Amino acid sequence: MASKSLLSAGEFERRQNLMDSLKSKKVQINEAFHCKEEGGTRHALLGGELGNPSSSVWDIEEDETTRDLTFDEIKEQQQMAIKVQDKGLDTLYDVVVRQKNMAQNIGQEIDLQNEIIDDIVDHADHTRERLIKETRHVAIVDRKSGTCGYWIVILLLFIGIIVAISIPGRK
C-alpha cells in the first residue's frame, strides 16, 4: 500500500475501510466454504449470513429463477441459454453472409456502371472536340461567303451582258 504520507487522511481512511471490508468478506467466504452442514453448503456459500437469505457473501441477491434449483438444473438452464444464443448467432451469421454477398454484387454493379460512365465521358469528349472543329469550319465558310463575292459576280455578268449587246449582231 502507498505510504500514508502520500495520501490525504480521508483517502487513507477510505482505503483502510475497503481493506477491512475485503478481509471480512474473505473470512465469510472461507467460513461458508468450509461449512459442514449437510445439504446447506450451497445456501451457506451463496446465501450469505445466517438467517438472512436476501444478503449474500457476494453482495448480490440470487435470482428467483435459480433460487430453488440444484447445481445440475442451473447448469442445464445455462446450456439451454447457450443453445438459444448459438441459434441466434447462426441466424446472425447467415444474415451477415447474405449482406456480404449483396455488398459484393452491389460493388460489381458499381464497377460496371463506372466503366459505362467512363465510356460515355470518352464519347462525349470526342463529340465535343468534333463539334468545336465543325463550328470553326462553319465560321470560316460564313466569313468567306460574304455578299461581296455575289456583287462581284453580278457586276461581271452585267458587264458581259452590255458587251454582248454592244457588239453589232450578225444577222
Side-chain angles (χ1 to χ4, degrees):
M1 182 181 270
S3 172
K4 185 176 178 181
S5 63
L6 296 176
L7 300 175
S8 68
E11 178 63 17
F12 181 78
E13 186 177 327
R14 184 186 73 81
R15 288 184 183 190
Q16 190 63 42
N17 289 339
L18 287 174
M19 288 295 292
D20 292 342
S21 173
L22 286 174
K23 287 177 185 177
S24 166
K25 288 200 186 282
K26 180 183 176 189
V27 168
Q28 288 176 354
I29 290 171
N30 284 335
E31 287 175 0
F33 185 72
H34 294 303
C35 181
K36 300 294 182 188
E37 293 179 25
E38 187 143 337
T41 57
R42 180 174 181 270
H43 177 69
L45 182 61
L46 299 177
E49 301 168 7
L50 298 172
N52 189 2
S54 65
S55 171
S56 75
V57 176
W58 307 102
D59 277 342
I60 57 172
E61 288 189 35
E62 188 173 2
D63 192 352
E64 291 291 326
T65 58
T66 60
R67 184 164 289 155
D68 295 326
L69 299 178
T70 65
F71 176 76
D72 290 333
E73 291 170 336
I74 293 172
K75 187 175 179 181
E76 183 179 327
Q77 194 177 48
Q78 288 174 343
Q79 288 173 347
M80 291 297 293
I82 289 172
K83 285 180 184 179
V84 169
Q85 288 175 351
D86 285 345
K87 281 184 183 181
L89 289 174
D90 289 340
T91 303
L92 179 62
Y93 172 78
D94 292 339
V95 168
V96 169
V97 167
R98 279 196 309 269
Q99 287 181 340
K100 176 188 171 193
N101 291 335
M102 286 172 36
Q104 287 174 337
N105 290 337
I106 290 170
Q108 290 172 350
E109 184 66 26
I110 288 173
D111 290 342
L112 179 64
Q113 295 295 327
N114 282 339
E115 289 176 14
I116 292 171
I117 289 171
D118 288 343
D119 288 345
I120 290 172
V121 167
D122 291 342
H123 287 12
D125 287 343
H126 181 66
T127 303
R128 184 179 54 81
E129 290 170 6
R130 284 183 41 213
L131 183 63
I132 290 170
K133 181 180 172 185
E134 293 304 321
T135 303
R136 283 189 206 130
H137 287 143
V138 168
I140 291 170
V141 169
D142 185 41
R143 198 177 27 198
K144 287 183 178 179
S145 67
T147 56
C148 182
Y150 292 128
W151 286 111
I152 292 174
V153 171
I154 292 172
L155 185 61
L156 289 175
L157 288 175
F158 183 69
I159 293 174
I161 292 172
I162 293 180
V163 170
I165 296 177
S166 61
I167 296 182
R170 298 178 205 161
K171 293 189 178 177

